[in-house]
Structures are given as structure tokens and as C-alpha cells.
Amino acid sequence: TKEQVAKELPPKNEITLYVDMNPKQRTIYEITRDTYRGKIMDSFQNSTMEKSSFKVLEGLLRLRQICCHPKLVDPNYTEDSGKFQAVLECIEGVVSEGHRVLLFSQFVKSLELLRTKISEIGIATEILTGATRDRQAVVDRFQKTTGAPVFLISLKAGGTGLNLTSADYVIHLDPWWNPSAENQASDRAYRIGQTRTVFVYKM
């Protein structure tokens, strides 16, 4: 393991946080869950296994998006998300103590929404997605001590190959299907050169 090979690395603490949905968010979640349950039951009775499996995956994707923020599935949703509120509180607290944060999500729309929310509380950010042209320039800006304290990263675009040891907090906004991909993303901060204890929060 990395701990056995790179003995000079500081500790890494992983914390899973369970967050309650807001009441309206929960209502949308339950309506979507029940709607897809009905679609899936119909599909099993009237269609092929392949099409039924697709409906299951589509339903799970929609529910995962609603857990992040209902605006991902309903552009007209105007209220907040329980998870966003928890993440903003966490970021505000750790940044005020001088820490720097990597925040991963598989949903680019989540990152864009969060970036707006974070800027509203006066904290600067960098963002890296598949659409980012000059990846290295964004990474270099973040790695400077004068750079933005929060780096929002699409899991697919920045899950591997980046050295981001100026951060000592990692937040995963949503669980990834593949735990090893999630761990590789966390290790963008937990690499040789890291001198501080790394905290990984899985929301």
C-alpha cells in the first residue's frame, strides 16, 4: 500500500457524512422513486430485460442527482439542497481555518451550481471539467499559496494524474460507482509532498 511504501506521508482520515434532504427535496425524491418504480414494473412485464435494466439505471441516476440538488433534474426548482447546505458549511469552516479543499462530483452541473453558491459566501474557486482547455494552468493557479482555496473537479476529468498536495481536505459530493476511482481522486491530495493530515469527507 501507499502507506507502506511512502512512510513519510501523514495520516489520512476518511469520514462518511449522512445528510438529510430538505422537505421539498425529499418530496421530489419520493415522487421520482415511485414514478420509476411503476415504469420499471411495467417494463419488466412488457419489454426485454435489456430495456428494463436501462430503466433501472436511469431511475438510479435521477435519484442520485436529486440527492445532490433537485435542480439537476428540474431547472425550475428554487429551494436549496440539504447536501449543498452541509457542503457549504464545511467549506466555509475549513477555509476560514486556512485549509484548502478539493471537491469532486461526477455531475458537472453540480459543480457549476456549487461554484455560484461558494462565490456568494465570498470564497474564490477554480474548476476543472472535461471542457477545461488548459488543465495545467488551472492546476498551477490552485497549487500556489495565493490561489483560490477551493478546487471543484469533475471526477472523470480530474480523478487521476494530478498532483494537488496544496489541499488537505477532499470532499466527494456524490458516491462513485467504482470505489477505486473515488480513492484515486482522493489521492490527488494524498501524494508524496503532502505534509499535512488529509481529511476525506464522503457525502
Side-chain angles (χ1 to χ4, degrees):
T1 66
K2 183 179 284 189
E3 288 79 2
Q4 289 170 314
V5 175
K7 295 183 184 295
E8 71 275 19
L9 277 174
K12 178 172 73 169
N13 296 307
E14 291 192 354
I15 301 125
T16 301
L17 293 179
Y18 293 93
V19 182
D20 287 329
M21 286 184 268
N22 290 355
K24 189 169 182 182
Q25 182 182 14
R26 180 172 292 282
T27 299
I28 292 171
Y29 181 94
E30 289 173 353
I31 289 169
T32 305
R33 180 196 61 202
D34 293 345
T35 300
Y36 271 96
R37 183 180 285 150
K39 286 180 180 179
I40 290 162
M41 294 306 292
D42 288 346
S43 183
F44 276 132
Q45 290 171 359
N46 304 315
S47 189
T48 64
M49 181 60 78
E50 187 178 344
K51 286 186 179 176
S52 301
S53 300
F54 179 76
K55 276 286 173 217
V56 171
L57 292 174
E58 183 186 322
L60 287 171
L61 174 63
R62 295 290 169 259
L63 294 175
R64 287 158 61 80
Q65 289 174 319
I66 291 166
C67 285
C68 285
H69 201 297
K71 210 170 181 68
L72 271 66
V73 296
D74 179 7
N76 298 316
Y77 180 84
T78 55
E79 295 192 28
D80 210 343
S81 146
K83 195 178 275 195
F84 268 41
Q85 288 172 327
V87 166
L88 285 169
E89 283 175 21
C90 179
I91 286 173
E92 196 167 19
V94 300
V95 168
S96 70
E97 294 170 358
H99 300 283
R100 311 191 76 216
V101 183
L102 306 180
L103 189 144
F104 288 96
S105 176
Q106 64 188 290
F107 304 119
V108 172
K109 180 70 173 171
S110 278
L111 298 176
E112 292 168 347
L113 287 171
L114 256 179
R115 191 177 201 193
T116 302
K117 297 276 188 187
I118 294 168
S119 71
E120 287 170 1
I121 59 173
I123 297 174
T125 61
E126 291 286 355
I127 189 166
L128 177 67
T129 69
T132 303
R133 293 279 176 88
D134 192 345
R135 290 164 52 99
Q136 195 56 50
V138 177
V139 168
D140 291 345
R141 283 199 304 270
F142 177 76
Q143 281 290 93
K144 290 178 182 172
T145 53
T146 55
V150 179
F151 198 174
L152 306 167
I153 306 172
S154 155
L155 200 57
K156 284 184 180 176
T160 58
L162 298 177
N163 187 344
L164 299 168
T165 51
S166 69
D168 55 340
Y169 275 74
V170 178
I171 298 173
H172 290 282
L173 187 66
D174 39 271
W176 185 237
W177 299 112
N178 180 351
S180 67
E182 199 175 77
N183 291 335
Q184 281 185 327
S186 298
D187 285 351
R188 299 312 93 214
Y190 192 64
R191 299 168 70 81
I192 292 170
Q194 179 59 268
T195 58
R196 294 169 294 175
T197 299
V198 173
F199 291 88
V200 179
Y201 286 92
K202 297 182 178 184
M203 311 298 285

